[in-house]
Amino acid sequence: MIRRVRIFLSICCVVPALVGNAHAADLTVASLNTLHLGWGASPATQNKCEQIKGLMSKADVLFLQEAMSPSLPCTELGSDVASVCSEARGGSSYKEAYCFVYKASKITPVAFQDAPAASFSRPPYAVLAKVKTGTADHYVWFANIHSIFGDSPKLRQKEASAAGEFFSRLVTTTSEAIATPPQGFAVVIGGDWNLAVTNKKDAYQPGFTW
C-alpha cells in the first residue's frame, strides 16, 4: 500500500504535523507484509526483493512486516536505498522482525524505540528519522506494527489501546541531541492490521500476491 502525502499534513494514523514550510517536498510512504521474507527457496526471496525494489522506485520509506531475520536479505535495491531492522520478536516458536527500507539521500535514522513487550504479540518498532524536505531538515517518527491475529474483540481492543498509548508517547519522545518541536514530533504509522481491506471507492492501490 502506498500513500503520497504532504509531509506537513496528517494521513491515516499520523499525529501532529511537522512544523515549518507547508509547501515542502512530498514524502511518499509505503507498507508491505513480506510473508516470511527470507524463508523458503531462493527464487521466492528474490521475487519478494524485486517487489520491494519496485516499491522503492516510488516510495521514500517502506515499512516491512514478517522479515524473518534482523537483516534484510535483499542486496540489490539501489545505490540510494538503505535499511534498518528490529530484532526478531514474537512467540517462542515463531519470531519475525520489522524493517524500514528508505532513500538514504532523504532519510537518516537517528533513534529507535520499542513498544512494551507485555502488551503485544509482536511489539511495534519505531524509528526517529531526520527527513530532508527541500533545503530544511525535520524529524519524524516512523512506527511499524503487525497486529495480533484472530477475531477476539477483547484481545484486539487491548492491543489497540496499548498501541495508541505507544504512538502517542512518541510525539514527545526524543533522543538526547534533538529538541522536541513545540507541537511534538509527527508520527507516521504503517503496518499489517490483520483486517480485510475494502476498496469500495478505489481508496487503496491494488496489490499483488506472493
Side-chain angles (χ1 to χ4, degrees):
M1 184 184 298
I2 294 180
R3 291 288 182 269
R4 181 180 295 275
V5 295
R6 287 286 174 190
I7 194 169
F8 301 108
L9 300 181
S10 57
I11 60 166
C12 297
C13 303
V14 179
V15 287
L18 291 175
V19 291
N21 240 343
H23 55 270
D26 286 342
L27 174 69
T28 306
V29 180
S31 180
L32 177 68
N33 183 313
T34 59
L35 191 60
H36 304 152
L37 178 62
W39 277 8
S42 179
T45 296
Q46 184 59 36
N47 174 52
K48 295 174 184 180
C49 290
E50 288 297 322
Q51 299 289 355
I52 291 169
K53 183 177 181 178
L55 285 172
M56 287 307 298
S57 70
K58 305 172 184 177
D60 295 309
V61 59
L62 173 61
F63 299 47
L64 300 181
Q65 304 85 45
E66 289 200 37
M68 305 317 293
S69 73
S71 59
L72 207 62
C74 307
T75 58
E76 298 181 1
L77 298 179
S79 59
D80 189 38
V81 178
S83 65
V84 62
C85 299
S86 71
E87 293 298 316
R89 57 200 59 205
S92 58
S93 60
Y94 174 84
K95 295 182 184 294
E96 63 183 66
Y98 295 110
C99 294
F100 295 90
V101 186
Y102 57 91
K103 297 285 180 60
S105 60
K106 188 163 188 173
I107 294 171
T108 304
V110 295
F112 307 91
Q113 191 78 21
D114 282 303
S119 301
F120 301 92
S121 60
R122 294 170 284 252
Y125 181 65
V127 175
L128 179 63
K130 180 171 69 174
V131 179
K132 293 183 181 296
T133 58
T135 58
D137 293 338
H138 298 278
Y139 291 90
V140 57
W141 279 103
F142 296 120
N144 205 341
I145 182 172
H146 188 182
S147 294
I148 188 171
F149 180 77
D151 56 6
S152 168
K154 184 175 181 179
L155 292 177
R156 283 187 169 275
Q157 288 167 358
K158 179 181 178 182
E159 186 186 73
S161 178
E165 292 175 3
F166 173 65
F167 299 144
S168 295
R169 285 198 300 272
L170 293 176
V171 177
T172 55
T173 299
T174 187
S175 70
E176 202 171 292
I178 301 170
T180 303
Q183 295 181 351
F185 293 103
V187 180
V188 180
I189 303 164
D192 179 352
W193 311 102
N194 266 315
L195 294 170
V197 176
T198 58
N199 196 31
K200 294 180 180 178
K201 297 182 180 179
D202 296 322
Y204 300 98
Q205 176 173 313
F208 51 83
T209 58
W210 297 123

